[in-house]
Structure formats: C-alpha cells, structure tokens
Amino acid sequence: QVQLMESGGGSVQAGGSLRLACRASDYTYLYNINLMAWFRQAPGKEREAVAAIETGIDTSSGGTQFADSVKDRFTISQDNPKSTVYLQMNSLKPEDTAMYYCASRAFGPSGWSDWSTPSRYTSWGQGTQVTVSS
C-alpha cells in the first residue's frame, strides 16, 4: 500500500494562491496507471472531491477531473521524478477553507467512474489545512 504525505497548506487571504503537494512513498507509483485525487473536508461537512489526475499518461491529452466549484481556479499536475502530485489553487475563496487530503487508487477497469467517491480510494494522507480569510 502506497503511503501519501501532503504538504503546502497554510493561511491566505481571499484571492491568494497556495500549492499543495502530495508525495507518494513508492517512487514508481506515478509512472504507473493510477488515480490520484485531492479531497477536502470542512467542519461539519462531508468529504468532497476537488480534483484528480490519471498518472502514467501524458496529461496534455486529458487525464484530469475537477469539481465544478474549483474549475478555472485549480490545476493538478504530477512530477514523476519527485513522486509528487501538486494542486495549484488560485483565486482562493473563504469557502475553500478545509482540510485537504490526498488519496490514491489503481485506475483499473473502473477508470474515472466514481472518481469523486472517497470510499473508492485505498490510500490516504493525513491531510493539510487550508484557511482562506476574507
């Protein structure tokens, strides 16, 4: 089971930017066809999917998904030699405040189906807090 570790959270004012990083313990993980995703959970709310990336392929031809609430503000990318997936968050809003979690699973036959369902993921990081003030 791959282990995931997030970093990059912090406090920022509305309109600002943050870049989160998720490093996988297995250096080969991002070279293989897996699905890595970012979720977030605010106090009193359910965990929701933010973005995901299909690793091991050329993402210039696709291979990413975003929640409607973050489209055009967030981007997701991978750096294979660093075994790291990044979530670049721009134009942050107070409603983006949450604990952000990295998750992963094999891409497998199910592919992108249920990409936004937390229970479909087999590995999770500990989370990193993002706080956006107005």
Side-chain angles (χ1 to χ4, degrees), residues 19-96:
R19 187 177 76 160
L20 305 183
C22 173
R23 188 171 187 277
S25 61
D26 180 353
Y27 76 96
T28 67
Y29 199 77
L30 269 63
Y31 290 97
N32 298 317
I33 309 300
N34 293 298
L35 194 62
M36 292 193 71
W38 287 94
F39 287 79
R40 66 187 181 187
Q41 188 166 20
K45 294 188 177 181
E46 292 188 352
R47 192 167 296 191
E48 63 173 356
V50 175
I53 187 168
E54 181 184 357
T55 65
I57 67 167
D58 178 8
T59 54
S60 65
S61 60
T64 60
Q65 293 282 350
F66 295 90
D68 289 343
S69 60
V70 305
K71 279 181 182 176
D72 300 324
R73 299 190 298 125
F74 292 10
T75 58
I76 188 169
S77 61
Q78 61 186 85
D79 185 333
N80 289 6
K82 294 184 178 180
S83 303
T84 301
V85 168
Y86 298 99
L87 183 69
Q88 178 66 44
M89 307 185 294
N90 299 325
S91 302
L92 282 162
K93 304 175 180 180
E95 51 263 43
D96 294 317

Side-chain angles (χ1 to χ4, degrees), residues 4 40 44 46 58 88 103 105 115 123 130:
L4 306 174
R40 66 187 181 187
E46 292 188 352
D58 178 8
Q88 178 66 44
R105 65 169 172 86
W115 78 269
S123 294
V130 171

